[in-house]
Amino acid sequence: MSRYIGSIHKKSRRLGFSLLENNKEFLKGKKRTYAPGQHGAANKKLSGYGEQQKEKQKLALMYGLTDKQFRRFFATAKKMKGSTSLSLLRILESRLDNIVYRLGFANTRRAARQLVSHGHILLNGKKCTIPSIVVPLESVITVKEKSKKIIKFDGQFTPVGFVELDKNTLIGKYLRYPERAELNPDINETYVVEWYNRLVK
């Protein structure tokens, strides 16, 4: 599976889930509970396999992952102590593009990925153009001096609790791993673990 670059709104409708985590994909702020298309409103109950696949697709699209990346992150999570499902989410949240998004330097993860790949972001003082790199705790993420003019914050934006940001200097810090309660409650990561347990040994 290559990285999806099509319409996020369409995928959100099909999954019944806001991939942007702000519900802006849904018309007039009202979430349609059915997929797009002629037969989208048909009531289709998914099997256990189907539910696992759906949750995997939600995470892959939300974080912008290819299947190869997903398998690699899952294999790493399995080797970590504690809950595999929580470890997987923490790895995904530790990606540089996600940290840039969580700091508010970009409104979406796609935009954050572009900021990183175009060389606008510094990781611990050095330019890093790899969006998928896993950021160590206590790392400092900043915007290049020449690129600061392109960063525009939403007036009501507040960073999540596991990162710290100085809006004046555009210096951010990855403080700690996120707790499950700080992440999207509409994701069932257990299904994702069950999906990949069959594939990754």
Side-chain angles (χ1 to χ4, degrees), residues 15-19 21 46-60 62-63 70 74 83-90 92 180 183-197:
L15 295 169
F17 169 79
S18 176
L19 293 168
E21 297 188 279
L46 295 176
S47 64
Y49 177 90
E51 289 287 358
Q52 293 171 10
Q53 185 181 47
K54 181 180 178 180
E55 292 302 313
K56 188 265 294 186
Q57 289 173 340
K58 283 161 65 172
L59 270 186
M62 192 169 82
Y63 287 101
F70 215 148
F74 177 77
S83 166
T84 300
S85 56
L86 182 57
S87 295
L88 177 61
L89 289 180
R90 285 175 169 174
L92 298 180
R180 182 62 185 92
L183 305 179
N184 197 313
D186 296 326
I187 289 288
N188 189 334
E189 64 276 13
T190 303
Y191 280 165
V192 180
V193 170
E194 291 172 357
W195 172 273
Y196 277 108
N197 266 332

Side-chain angles (χ1 to χ4, degrees), residues 93 102-103 157-164 175-176 178 182-183:
E93 285 289 326
R102 292 299 193 187
L103 287 167
F157 172 78
T158 302
V160 290
F162 50 89
V163 298
E164 181 181 73
L175 300 175
R176 59 174 174 79
E182 296 175 298
L183 305 179

